[in-house]
Amino acid sequence: MGKVKIKKQDVWIDMTPMSDVMVLLLTFFMMTATFVSNEPVKVVAPQSISEIKVPETGVLNIVVDSIGNVFMSMENRNEAVQALRNFSDRYGITLNSKMENAFKNDPQWGVAVNPDRNIAGKVSLEDYLNMADDKRNEVFVAQGIPTDSVVNADGTKTMSEFQTWVKSVREVNKEIKLAIDARFDTSYPIIKKIMSELQDMSENRYFLKTQYKQGGDD
């Protein structure tokens, strides 16, 4: 008796739905991804057990290094340029398109208007914005926004450059939040100075950035 041969059938799987899902996932991640800029001044924040998260957008970051140099950053670069214009008007600085583009392309800012030339490496804001990109990157970390108020002859105080920057940003975005991002080894008097400067201009609500530490960690 002859054997009955079973006809083999090819198995065909329609991959179209899977391809559609993969494209949708890829599009979702591309649309929601947050790109982190390469900031020249990086800090390692102290640890705490606070679970309050600092918003990712709408924040003026006040970056403080270990020796007290102050820098700033915000994700909306168009608002940052407008703040630069407001700040420059107060100090009589004339901006051109090259200077504005240089400022817009930098992820952070923090250069004094008229620095102490006796301190090695210090440059003025105008000179800094007129430098080539590689030169700006080279000198940036040695700069910093002055936090000392100027005492006038009549005893009154003029806002510090730090306070002027905060006010200039606030004029552009009234809803912006403030966050102090300091290194774990930055001394308390330096942080207290920043907080006092903010309090003097009635900026009493701000975040202190820390790294999350589990309650049981040493």
Side-chain angles (χ1 to χ4, degrees), residues 13 15 28 51 71 73 107 115 149 170 182 188:
I13 300 175
M15 299 297 290
F28 171 78
E51 297 187 40
F71 306 90
S73 68
S149 301
R170 181 68 75 191
Y188 175 71

Side-chain angles (χ1 to χ4, degrees), residues 7-44:
K7 185 178 179 181
K8 294 183 178 180
Q9 294 182 349
D10 293 334
V11 177
W12 181 78
I13 300 175
D14 186 1
M15 299 297 290
T16 303
M18 183 177 291
S19 300
D20 291 342
V21 170
M22 292 302 294
V23 171
L24 287 173
L25 286 173
L26 179 61
T27 303
F28 171 78
F29 287 123
M30 290 176 63
M31 296 294 291
T32 59
T34 301
F35 295 94
V36 179
S37 56
N38 184 23
E39 298 181 337
V41 178
K42 297 179 174 64
V43 299
V44 179

Side-chain angles (χ1 to χ4, degrees), residues 156-215:
T156 60
K157 286 186 177 181
T158 302
M159 287 176 39
S160 66
E161 290 184 32
F162 169 77
Q163 292 173 322
T164 306
W165 269 118
V166 174
K167 182 175 181 179
S168 298
V169 172
R170 181 68 75 191
E171 289 172 345
V172 177
N173 184 346
K174 290 182 171 54
E175 303 301 321
I176 199 164
K177 297 175 176 60
L178 309 181
I180 300 175
D181 189 6
R183 279 181 56 92
F184 69 94
D185 55 353
T186 304
S187 65
Y188 175 71
I190 293 174
I191 304 301
K192 186 175 185 299
K193 171 67 174 174
I194 300 298
M195 293 190 295
S196 295
E197 288 280 291
L198 292 174
Q199 290 170 354
D200 286 347
M201 54 189 307
S202 299
E203 291 285 356
N204 298 312
R205 296 178 64 87
Y206 46 82
F207 294 95
L208 287 173
K209 284 191 174 182
T210 58
Q211 296 185 70
Y212 180 68
K213 177 182 179 181
Q214 296 290 343

